Amino acid sequence: MMDFLCVRSHMILFISRYRLTQFAFCRKIIGARYYTKGYEAVNGPLESANQTFFRSPRDSDGHGTHTSSTILGSKVSNVSMYGLGSGTARGGVPSARLSVYKACWFGGCEDADLLAAFSDAIHDGVDVLSISLGQLPPQQIYFEDPISIGSFHAFQNGVVVCASAGNKFFPRAVINVAPWILTVGASTVDREFPSYLLLGNLKQLKGFGINTIPDQGKQYSIISGSAAAASGIPSRNARYS
């Protein structure tokens, strides 16, 4: 639900519910903190969730790793998605440095932890704060939204605040729209990745998706995605919603 990022000159501070492993990763990582007091005051000890986690800034599910590499990943040649879209991958600012602020747990974030992370980032003297997180729409009023409040204090201290517009495509579903935030939405690409569905009546439907599995020449019934979850994966993760 919530991640952040900040830049100070050549320093980037990433506030996230997840994070990379210790500092053996590379010299890009210059610091890391984590926050649990707010979450545990409301939800009880982290251990009571019976889920995999690290009581540290370390990433437990890959989201923080993904987001931080988008920001400052080094150049990597010959990258593709199972052979599709081949090319060179790199982050937006490969020369930047990263510090981690892990403020959320198990998909949930408490206001106290988020505001503490904001406060520390501001105290560290960041120049840019990029936030890949947000509440569910509709947008909360600014006086009750921790991101609006925290980013306002950052703005007052000369920090440029960028934040995601959210993952919903319905009208009035944009979030993080306070006037002191640079709200950023996803963009499109000039390529198509078609995937075709052949029905029993030989009618062919064109869709879009990454499909690199060879055609086995077999026919299958159309079912709900939730009924096709891989072993050990909750059905809610397999359905599209």
Side-chain angles (χ1 to χ4, degrees):
M1 294 270 216
M2 307 211 158
D3 314 329
F4 302 25
L5 157 84
C6 340
V7 183
R8 179 192 184 239
S9 303
H10 257 56
M11 178 166 65
I12 287 190
L13 302 145
F14 184 75
I15 305 171
S16 173
R17 55 177 171 173
Y18 328 97
R19 249 311 302 138
L20 317 174
T21 49
Q22 200 72 15
F23 304 124
F25 172 26
C26 66
R27 288 179 295 177
K28 292 178 183 289
I29 304 174
I30 60 174
R33 301 179 187 177
Y34 67 100
Y35 307 82
T36 63
K37 289 183 179 179
Y39 186 90
E40 292 188 310
V42 174
N43 303 284
L46 297 176
E47 290 77 11
S48 64
N50 294 319
Q51 298 187 46
T52 300
F53 75 97
F54 301 104
R55 189 180 281 275
S56 75
R58 183 180 175 183
D59 185 3
S60 61
D61 72 359
H63 188 271
T65 305
H66 154 70
T67 314
S68 56
S69 66
T70 301
I71 296 156
L72 78 166
S74 299
K75 276 189 176 180
V76 180
S77 302
N78 302 316
V79 174
S80 71
M81 177 66 173
Y82 298 110
L84 301 175
S86 299
T88 299
R90 49 153 278 186
V93 190
S95 62
R97 296 294 179 264
L98 182 73
S99 182
V100 180
Y101 297 76
K102 180 178 175 182
C104 306
W105 305 88
F106 315 121
C109 315
E110 296 301 329
D111 294 2
D113 293 331
L114 291 174
L115 292 172
F118 265 112
S119 180
D120 283 341
I122 295 168
H123 182 266
D124 287 338
V126 305
D127 292 323
V128 178
L129 171 60
S130 176
I131 306 172
S132 299
L133 61 93
Q135 306 288 341
L136 293 174
Q139 169 72 48
Q140 286 182 293
I141 63 173
Y142 302 149
F143 300 109
E144 297 179 0
D145 174 25
I147 296 176
S148 296
I149 296 169
S151 61
F152 181 76
H153 288 287
F155 181 76
Q156 281 189 313
N157 284 271
V159 180
V160 176
V161 181
C162 305
S164 64
N167 296 322
K168 305 298 182 182
F169 56 88
F170 298 108
R172 290 176 288 187
V174 175
I175 57 173
N176 297 327
V177 294
W180 48 87
I181 296 176
L182 177 61
T183 309
V184 182
S187 62
T188 57
V189 296
D190 59 356
R191 294 180 292 185
E192 282 189 355
F193 295 96
S195 188
Y196 297 93
L197 178 65
L198 180 64
L199 302 180
N201 60 2
L202 301 183
K203 183 177 181 179
Q204 184 172 263
L205 304 179
K206 179 182 178 181
F208 299 95
I210 303 299
N211 182 11
T212 59
I213 301 174
D215 182 7
Q216 302 294 323
K218 298 179 180 179
Q219 292 283 335
Y220 298 93
S221 299
I222 297 177
I223 61 173
S224 168
S226 60
S231 177
I233 302 299
S235 59
R236 66 178 183 275
N237 289 10
R239 73 174 188 265
Y240 177 79
S241 60

